Structure formats: structure tokens, C-alpha cells
Amino acid sequence: MRVKWKIAALAACLLLLLTAVCAAEEAADLTDGCRFKSSGTKFKYTQMTDGKYTTYWYTHEARHNWLTITAPGGSKIHGLYLCFKNMPDSYQVQIGSGDNWRTVAEGDTGIYHAFYAFEGGVSAVRIYCDSDTRQVLGFNEIFVFGEGEIPDWVQRWEPAPEKADILFIVAHPDDELIFMGGAIPTCVEEGRSVAVAYMTPSNTTRRSELLNGLWLLGIRRYPIIGPFSDSYQKNLTRQYNALGGEEKVDAWVAEVIRRVRPEVIVTQDADGEYGHPMHKILSASVRKVYSETGRADFCPESAQAYGTWQAKKLYVHLWPDNASLFNWETPLEGFDGRTGLEMATEAYTLHVTQRTSGMSVTETGAEYDNHRFGLFASTVGPDVTGGDFFENLDEPGEDDTERFELPEESEAGTEERPAEEEAPGGTEEPVPDEAVTVEVLTVADPEADPSEPSAEGAWIESDPELAAILPPLNGKGFLDEGEFIWSSDEQGLYVYVGEHLRIVIRRSYEVPDKRHPFYCFTADIWCDTEAGALPSTVFCNPEKPRSSHDFVSNIARDNRVVFATSTDYYTYRIKQTYPTGIEVRGGVIFYDEPRRNPPTMPNYDTLAFFPDGHIESYPSTAMSAQAYIDAGAYDVYCFGPCLIRDGEYTDYVATANTSYNPRYAFGMVEPGHYVAILCEGRLARSKGVQMVYLAKLLKDHGCTLAVNLDGGQTAVFSFMGIQLNQVDKALPHGRKQAEILAFGVSEQVGTYQIGP
């Protein structure tokens, strides 16, 4: 009898186990069988369903864009995982069909990887942009699931913590892995509330990669991602300019700290690890801001929004004082016995675009010891034991301290809270700002770097060559009145500064390999876009814009243009039998005939200029000429290919033409700051450059977007009406053209002589 009971009990257990296994069956991936349809786009949907975050799909810019996803026959959609590339101002998740769509969720535009579940399953889902403004809707990836257990790798983010135990704040995606080793998974294992912040996502693909990596490390609170464009400038002054200035960086850092209220902050090396200027700037800002966020008058906007906050400890990677080594080699139970360093290494493999960067957690991290951190400042005294971010602090747990809120403004102005007034939500008196003691455990001054901008016109401080010749400039880097012109063929330096325009052109001799040296002309152009100083197209003869031709320098002299370049040589397309591409000049459509399936030379991609100073580039088949005009573009060239997009190489660069030729490309660091690079070729002194090396020059110069324009015997740079580069013996002035890309006007053009 007892044996029968045991058999029955065992059978019951097996039945329960079988039921549990069935209930936990993983949901089927329905993505490949789904039907996708959108508002007017002709792009390939496979770009968002191929499992590659490096590819993407997006709509044209329009009002009320939408994307519908219909389940394959006999199936229903139970889960939808969206990985956004282009986030609209607002969107809704709807279910239904035809004209009968019902909103079931309002999209969170702050979270780029979002999951939506549909109880009982639905036949179709629509992502609908409900804004009345023109929007682009785009995705790196979309995954559609049937009934069952959603895979663990699908991210279901919660908002950033309102009270964190520790904040890791870095410049770029993967810096938190390479230079901080196993710190994040170790803190997760300890049960700490972890916040992570990045100055820049670098680009949309790398934003997805950082989210994938953090999710693997057990982070479930969405990171804070800053508004800054990624760039690598030659010095800190230029880097600050590229980021919008020191105050903008400090304000963002202060907002992050006040928003998540960490007990401990960890940031990057003061010397930028391998010298990266964005690493340096972030570290300097965190070190400065750390002791200021407890003051209500410092960056008052974030103090008003989140209250003041003073963190207790600040650690800096490789800081020499009060330094200790941290152990990332301890097996972590929550990660199946793998160590923190092993988890960081695995997370780095999800940063697919960085596989060819030469960086790694184990090698680069060892070179710039990702185990070593120094305690820069503390309100709880120095570490004694070391190797523990939370030494001298309480155990992890929620902090019940109320935020100190700024008083509301009265009609007479902002009133101070009386000292005896009860703290909001508590019974104790508020602690005055000055009562917080911050012990800085070093004599170093985080603001003492002489290369940081400290005065108007500081963009030249770290460039002795320019500092020696330029007059005082105003806060925007221009002159209050008049113009300044300086040039030297011997130095290969050409400078113009006016009231709304600044141009610095440098000639350099590049030797990427012994057989193919070349001369390179790099022009940095800053335009005061608020004053309407924008790049423009100037015709040889506006009355006959398609037939009158002359050399670039002649057109520049005739029109008093300070700096002029060749363009896409659109006049070559006249009377051709093939489609001529998208060509818009001054808001007027010249050509609207993109080459189809796929676009090829000479109209791979567009280069569109907009009144706010930014530029855009798309495949020539992506938008009509009228669509560009409707979006606000005033000039659109068509040549290509696009070499840099979102600060990273485009797919074309990996398979680019390997021949050595004269080449010319135009890019943007940020709106109003442009870079034009011309590489001579087919000359005794200059052999030419490969397309991939041209792309490298643009990326190294900080371009977030760059497009190849017509090179060969067409490419010409003209400064003050004088041609700077050599072309060849047969065409010493290049080909005659109908137009130039023009910057600035000066009455001295045509009479100014370049010095020796």
C-alpha cells in the first residue's frame, strides 16, 4: 500500500513538472511570417527583421506615420519588441484593422527598446505617430512573439532609479565595460541600485548595443543617455565647442546626479584613458560638479526639477591618490558562477560595431587597469581597507531622505525657505547647503587644465599657430565688426574671420603608406546660422544655370566668395539618357530622377542643406525632390556615397573602391560647423587616396555625417578667389562648372594676395 502511494505521488509530481514545463514553453518567434505595411515607404522591411542591429528601416518624414504588423495565418501576436532607430515625438500602440484601430498603450519615447504584451493575442498591431508635426519612424529591429514565455533577452525596462546606490557615468557606450571592468555586474550581485549614464549614444546602432550589454549585466533600470554628438577633436577647446560649451556639459552632469541621487559616483580617468578628449571633459566636469550639486544656485534648472543632492563618494578611474585595486575575478552566484570581468567581456561582444576597433575588456582594460580607482572626494572620510565602493557607507537599501525642493517664486521673486521651516515630508529641519562637508582627497584642481576654454574666443587657446595671428574674437568666435584675413602658402594655412563666418584651411602632407603619399586640404568652416550665414550655391550665370560654365576660382572672384568648392558637377548630367538624381538649388527643383534599384554613380546619395545649419543624406531613391523641399531643404546635391552617418562609417566604406584618386568630401561636425576635405591625386607630388582613407580623415575630424562629392579633375578649393590645390597638367584649373558651393562674401576677393 505504501509503495502504491509513493508511485502515485511520483506520478503526480511528474504531472506537475510536465505541466510547468509546458506552461514555461518559450514563445515562438513569428517575425519572419508577419506582414508589414507602412505609410508610403518603399524601404525593405527585412532591414528591421534580420536580427542585425547594424541595419535599420525608417519611413519618410511625414505627419502621422504608421507601421502595421499582421500575424501569419492561424497565429496571434502576444508580444511585440520594438528597437527604435528614429523615435517620434509621440506614438501609440494600437490593435484592430482597416479604419478600426484602438489605442491600447501610449509609447514611452524615452525608452528605445520597448516591449508590449497583448493578453489573449491579437491579429494585427499598429505603431502610430499621433503628432501633427512631420516625423520619421524607424527601427533597428522588431521581434514579434506568439503565445508562451517571452525570452529573457527581450528587454522590459523600468525608468532610471530615483534613488541609486551607485552611478557609473561615462562618455561612450562600452566605456563602462572596457575601463570599469566587472564593476557593474559586481554591484548588481551585491543587490545595489545601479544607475548608468552616457554622454552620447554615439549613434543609433551603438545605443542598441549599450542597451543589450546592460541588460545582459542585470541592469533593469533604463540608462540616462546624454544629448551630445560623438566626436574626437584635436584638443579640449575644440571638443568643448563641439559639445556646445563647458556650461552645457556641467549642466547635464548636475542633472544626472540630482535625478538619480547616488551615494557613490564612478567616472573615467582624468587623462581620458588613452587621451580621448570626451573622456577628459566628462571626468573634469564630474569632478567639478560633484561638490556643487548640493547648492540650489548651481545649475538651478535641474535643482528646481529634481532638488539638490550631495553624493557621499566620488571615484575616478586611475586616480593616483587614495587608490586601490578592485577584485572583478570573484565568481558571482547570480551570473552562474562567472566573474564580473567575464560578464563584462561577454557584454562587450554585444557591441558588434566595435569588433574592429582594437579595443577589448581584457586587453585594453588591462593596459588601462580597469581594476584601479582612486577616491577623489568623500563626505565620509578616506578608505582604509580599499577595494569597496561602499566602504564607510550603510548596506544597500532604499533611502528615505526627502528631496529638498526649491521654494516656488512669489510675485516679488524667489523667496528663501525660513531656517525653522519643516523640511518637506519630514519632521527634521532641512540641512543648509553650506552644512554639507565635501572632503576632496587631493590637491589637484579639476578646473586647472589650461587647455579648457575660459574666455571668449578660447577656441584658439591651444593652437599656438592661430593664437599668434588672430585678433580678439567674441563669444561666438567671430569679430564684432570688420574682417580678418591671413594666409601663408609656406605654412599651408589660410584663415578668414568675419562677423558671422570663420574659416581655417590647412594643407598637410599625408603618408598612409610609402607608395601613396598625398597632399590634403582640410577646411573647417563655422557659420553663424542664427544670423543666416549658411552655405549656398552660386551659379556662373543665374540666367543660364544649366549651360554657362567657368572655373571654380573665376566664379568665386566674380561673386566675391571667400571660400568656394566644387560640388557634385550636376551639369555633367545634362542631356544624359540615365536618371540624373535629385538636384535642388535655392528651393527650386532642377532634377528629380533618381536611378532605381539600386542607386549608383553618379547619384548614390544626397547631400541636403537646411536653414538651421544641419545637413542630411539619404539614398537618392529614398525621397523625391519635393519631399526634401517640404522638409525644409534649400539645396540638395546628389553624388555620394555617404561615408559617415551618425558618427560611424556607413556599410559602403567596408566595400569601398580601393583605387587611389583625387577625392573630395563634405561633412558636418554639428549644425553650423562643416568640414571639407580635398585630397590631391594623379600628380607627381600626390598619388591620391582610397575612399576608405578619406572616410577615416572625416571621422577622425569629428564628422557626424559626411558625403563624397565629385573628385578627380573636378575637385577644387578656392580661397579669396585663388585656387589652392593642384589638379593636373591638362586641366590645371579643373573642369569648368556651372556652380560652386560658397561660403561668405568679401570685397577683398580678387585683390587679396596669398603670402609666401
Side-chain angles (χ1 to χ4, degrees), residues 596-675:
R596 303 288 178 180
N597 299 322
T600 55
M601 287 292 260
N603 54 357
Y604 274 120
D605 298 307
T606 59
L607 173 61
F609 291 83
F610 291 82
D612 65 354
H614 86 281
I615 61 175
E616 295 181 10
S617 177
Y618 302 101
S620 63
T621 56
M623 296 170 63
S624 68
Q626 187 59 50
Y628 280 102
I629 293 174
D630 292 343
Y634 61 88
D635 277 353
V636 182
Y637 300 142
C638 196
F639 203 83
C642 182
L643 302 174
I644 306 288
R645 183 176 281 115
D646 294 328
E648 297 295 334
Y649 298 126
T650 60
D651 292 341
Y652 171 86
V653 174
T655 59
N657 188 314
T658 58
S659 61
Y660 291 82
N661 283 304
R663 300 190 188 276
Y664 163 46
F666 186 88
M668 177 187 74
V669 176
E670 61 181 351
H673 179 188
Y674 310 104
V675 175

Side-chain angles (χ1 to χ4, degrees), residues 564-586:
T565 75
S566 47
T567 64
D568 61 355
Y569 197 45
Y570 88 97
T571 49
Y572 180 79
R573 296 164 164 83
I574 296 174
K575 297 181 181 179
Q576 298 294 334
T577 58
Y578 56 75
T580 52
I582 306 295
E583 300 285 349
V584 176
R585 302 294 187 266

